[in-house]
Amino acid sequence: MKCPYCDFDTSKVVDSRPIEEGNSIRRRRECENCKRRFTTYEKIEQVNVMVVKKDGAREFFDREKILKGIIRSCEKRPISIKQMENIVTDIEKEIVNMMQREISSEEIGNLVMDKLKDIDEVSYVRFASVYRQFKDVNSFLDELKNIIEEKSKK
């Protein structure tokens, strides 16, 4: 690994630790030339999944976009950032495990709604109202009735 300070090509690993639930490794390195220390991270390279938008446009899967949407829907709710990040990580794992090169934005939205429904109904309704673009109050009320019916079955 090249030293970021002196560009020397050789360094030794001083410390290694798994991070992100074992999905990454953090390494502390020391340059053999200038003796300065620096940190590197190793992560498994995953196949890029393309998201097919409603209009047919394609873009690379971006976990940050999902996280931003979840954060917005969970505003002023008793849900920690860690819980939100876990939702995104779970969704990302599900998508990768599908072994598909493309996934529709609709499928991703449904995955998000399924996770939010289990954690916080208010956040779920907020996300669904933006995602499903309810046409009127009646379609919004229909969704609320579905939630109430599901809750009464439990």
Side-chain angles (χ1 to χ4, degrees):
M1 181 67 63
K2 190 181 262 190
C3 175
Y5 305 108
C6 71
D7 287 336
F8 193 68
D9 286 337
T10 311
S11 63
K12 65 179 179 180
V13 176
V14 179
D15 182 38
S16 270
R17 295 174 193 223
I19 58 172
E20 295 178 17
E21 299 174 4
N23 293 323
S24 297
I25 297 176
R26 176 186 179 270
R27 297 194 194 280
R28 251 341 245 157
R29 296 177 177 272
E30 183 178 290
C31 175
E32 292 187 355
N33 183 45
C34 69
K35 304 295 183 208
R36 292 180 76 179
R37 291 186 176 193
F38 57 98
T39 303
T40 60
Y41 296 90
E42 273 183 39
K43 193 169 191 164
I44 296 172
E45 187 176 355
Q46 296 186 353
V47 176
N48 288 330
V49 175
M50 295 297 285
V51 177
V52 181
K53 310 292 273 182
K54 289 178 185 174
D55 66 357
R58 286 170 167 69
E59 60 183 49
F60 286 114
F61 174 81
D62 182 3
R63 67 176 278 124
E64 293 305 312
K65 284 180 102 172
I66 296 172
L67 183 59
K68 285 177 189 175
I70 291 172
I71 288 171
R72 217 172 293 123
S73 65
C74 294
E75 241 176 67
K76 298 181 182 178
R77 300 297 304 154
I79 300 162
S80 70
I81 288 287
K82 184 70 179 160
Q83 284 176 292
M84 292 181 229
E85 288 173 343
N86 287 342
I87 290 171
V88 177
T89 299
D90 290 346
I91 290 168
E92 190 173 25
K93 284 179 186 175
E94 282 185 50
I95 291 169
V96 169
N97 288 338
M98 289 177 187
M99 303 293 287
Q100 297 175 347
R101 303 275 298 153
E102 294 185 338
I103 185 169
S104 71
S105 58
E106 183 179 348
E107 287 178 82
I108 294 172
N110 289 331
L111 290 171
V112 172
M113 287 190 295
D114 289 344
K115 301 288 182 187
L116 285 176
K117 191 184 287 188
D118 294 339
I119 291 180
D120 184 64
E121 291 166 345
V122 172
S123 298
Y124 163 77
V125 170
R126 286 178 179 170
F127 187 88
S129 68
V130 172
Y131 174 72
R132 291 213 175 128
Q133 299 173 341
F134 295 123
K135 304 287 185 258
D136 54 26
V137 175
N138 290 331
S139 58
F140 186 75
L141 287 173
D142 290 342
E143 187 64 34
L144 290 175
K145 286 176 189 172
N146 289 338
I147 293 170
I148 292 167
E149 285 174 18
E150 284 182 28
K151 195 171 184 178
S152 66
K153 290 177 186 177
K154 289 181 181 179

